[in-house]
Amino acid sequence: MTQPFLSQPFLSEPMVVRPEWIDFNGHLNMAYYNVLMDLGVDALWQEIGFGGDYLARTGHTTYSAEYHMHYMREVHQGDTLRATFQVLDMNDKSIHFCQELIHQDGWVSAGGEGMCLHIDQSGPRVAPMPADILQTFQTMRAAHATLPVPGFVGRPMGIRHKA
C-alpha cells in the first residue's frame, strides 16, 4: 500500500458543520464533535477495506470500547473541519488511537482518544483481525510511533485546585 496515512495520520475529506448541529450557545453541540470524529474513522475504514461491506463479507465489525473527547476551541455553522486518525498502540484485536478535528484555518478544535475492538458478530466477542487489515494497522503503528503524541492523550480528568 502506498497511502500516505500509512506513514502519517490519516486525514479525512473536509466536513462542513451543519445548521442542525448548532446548540443554543451558537456553536457545535458536543455530540456532533463525536459524529465528526466517527465520520473520519468511517472514511479510513473504507480506505482499508474495513468499511460498511466488511460486516456483510466477514461477519466481523468494530466497536468503540472507550472514547475521551477534549474540546479546545469552538466551531460554528458553516465551518469546515477534517478529522485525523493516528495509531498509538495495538494488538491483533484492538487499537488505541487518537484523533484531532482540524479547522479550515489550521487550528485544532478538538482531540479524542479511543479504544477500538475488532468483533466477531456471531458472539458477539472480541476476535483477531484478518491478516491484511492487521498488517495495514501494524504498518501504520510502526510509522506513527515516530510522530509526536498530542498532549491530550492520557490526560486524566479532574478539577484543578490552586496550590
Side-chain angles (χ1 to χ4, degrees):
M1 289 186 165
T2 60
Q3 291 91 338
F5 59 81
L6 294 178
S7 61
Q8 59 193 20
F10 175 79
L11 186 61
S12 75
E13 292 297 316
M15 301 174 282
V16 178
V17 176
R18 301 177 185 176
E20 62 269 23
W21 294 352
I22 302 302
D23 64 18
F24 58 83
N25 293 315
H27 58 242
L28 184 63
N29 179 282
M30 62 185 275
Y32 293 101
Y33 282 88
N34 285 303
V35 168
L36 289 162
M37 294 291 202
D38 197 44
L39 289 171
V41 169
D42 288 349
L44 173 60
W45 274 199
Q46 190 64 38
E47 235 357 88
I48 64 172
F50 232 15
D53 65 333
Y54 180 73
L55 175 59
R57 279 191 345 260
T58 67
H60 292 75
T61 190
T62 58
Y63 286 2
S64 289
E66 186 172 353
Y67 200 86
H68 300 198
M69 183 71 74
H70 301 269
Y71 307 98
M72 299 169 193
R73 191 165 166 187
E74 66 185 47
V75 293
H76 302 93
Q77 179 181 330
D79 285 352
T80 301
L81 303 163
R82 296 175 86 179
T84 67
F85 186 95
Q86 180 178 339
V87 177
L88 299 170
D89 196 8
M90 60 166 293
N91 61 29
D92 65 335
K93 299 177 185 178
S94 58
I95 303 164
H96 178 207
F97 64 94
C98 65
Q99 294 182 272
E100 292 179 320
L101 280 179
I102 310 296
H103 188 270
Q104 65 207 27
D105 293 335
W107 44 267
V108 177
S109 172
E113 178 182 4
M115 288 291 295
C116 169
L117 305 176
H118 184 257
I119 302 293
D120 177 344
Q121 282 290 78
S122 69
R125 64 182 174 275
V126 179
M129 289 178 248
D132 60 330
I133 301 289
L134 181 62
Q135 180 59 53
T136 297
F137 281 114
Q138 288 172 332
T139 300
M140 290 172 68
R141 171 62 185 126
H144 292 184
T146 66
L147 301 173
V149 175
F152 61 82
V153 171
R155 190 175 73 193
M157 184 184 302
I159 297 171
R160 293 183 211 129
H161 294 279
K162 294 181 181 180

